[in-house]
Amino acid sequence: MTKPFQKIGKKRGVVGVIFRDERLLIIRRSLTVPAPGKLCLPGGTIEKGETEEFALVREMQEELAIDVTPVRLCWRSITPWGTLLSWWLSELDPDVLPVANPEEVAEVHWMTSGQIKMQRNMLPSLPQFVEAIQSGEIDVGVPF
């Protein structure tokens, strides 16, 4: 469920929502970052002075060496630890393959909703996001 940001903590993050062939780009976090080994969508902290879109582009380049085009904000959420997340539907050239930066990302996957639902080691926002898409709360513009 979307919650107003102004009433919660100050730490902000951005999440890249990238589809290819009705599959969502999922990463497994490296063992050297917070929430090590967890599956999630790529993204990270919005630094002071950055727009959400700028932070998204920077984080995708840092984590996966990809250049994305932010399309539109599709969801907002708050992590259990109070980070305010902005989820951005983004475009990636179909010929570009993400390359994991091992300092931040252990694995890169393209998963269907069914494959995501079978996973167990995820950040809590990932299954919530998939459920919000399937319930119609979020429109991502592709079947999922």
Side-chain angles (χ1 to χ4, degrees), residues 51-105:
T51 64
E52 292 174 357
E53 297 95 322
F54 185 90
L56 173 71
V57 170
R58 178 185 50 74
E59 285 289 343
M60 297 304 102
Q61 186 56 231
E62 288 175 7
E63 289 187 359
L64 300 169
I66 57 176
D67 293 317
V68 300
T69 303
V71 175
R72 65 178 167 85
L73 180 69
C74 63
W75 200 46
R76 292 196 190 274
S77 67
I78 300 172
T79 67
W81 46 93
T83 299
L84 317 170
L85 296 178
S86 299
W87 300 64
W88 277 82
L89 192 60
S90 303
E91 291 180 350
L92 175 64
D93 185 296
D95 296 328
V96 172
L97 297 176
V99 177
N101 171 353
E103 293 180 17
E104 297 189 34
V105 177

Side-chain angles (χ1 to χ4, degrees), residues 5-141:
F5 279 9
Q6 59 273 21
K7 295 182 181 178
I8 309 296
K10 293 182 179 180
K11 188 168 181 185
R12 296 173 47 223
V14 65
V15 177
V17 179
I18 303 166
F19 286 93
R20 181 174 283 170
D21 300 324
E22 299 177 11
R23 294 174 185 268
L24 188 56
L25 178 60
I26 303 292
I27 63 167
R28 182 172 306 280
R29 299 167 69 89
S30 78
L31 298 179
T32 60
V33 298
K38 298 283 188 184
L39 288 173
C40 60
L41 274 67
T45 301
I46 299 171
E47 303 294 340
K48 185 176 181 178
E50 287 184 329
T51 64
E52 292 174 357
E53 297 95 322
F54 185 90
L56 173 71
V57 170
R58 178 185 50 74
E59 285 289 343
M60 297 304 102
Q61 186 56 231
E62 288 175 7
E63 289 187 359
L64 300 169
I66 57 176
D67 293 317
V68 300
T69 303
V71 175
R72 65 178 167 85
L73 180 69
C74 63
W75 200 46
R76 292 196 190 274
S77 67
I78 300 172
T79 67
W81 46 93
T83 299
L84 317 170
L85 296 178
S86 299
W87 300 64
W88 277 82
L89 192 60
S90 303
E91 291 180 350
L92 175 64
D93 185 296
D95 296 328
V96 172
L97 297 176
V99 177
N101 171 353
E103 293 180 17
E104 297 189 34
V105 177
E107 300 171 351
V108 177
H109 304 278
W110 292 97
M111 293 187 183
T112 64
S113 59
Q115 290 169 323
I116 293 169
K117 288 180 180 181
M118 292 181 354
Q119 304 301 313
R120 295 290 171 249
N121 193 20
M122 296 181 273
L123 287 179
S125 59
L126 180 54
Q128 293 167 353
F129 181 70
V130 171
E131 176 57 35
I133 292 171
Q134 294 184 325
S135 72
E137 179 183 342
I138 301 171
D139 176 16
V140 292

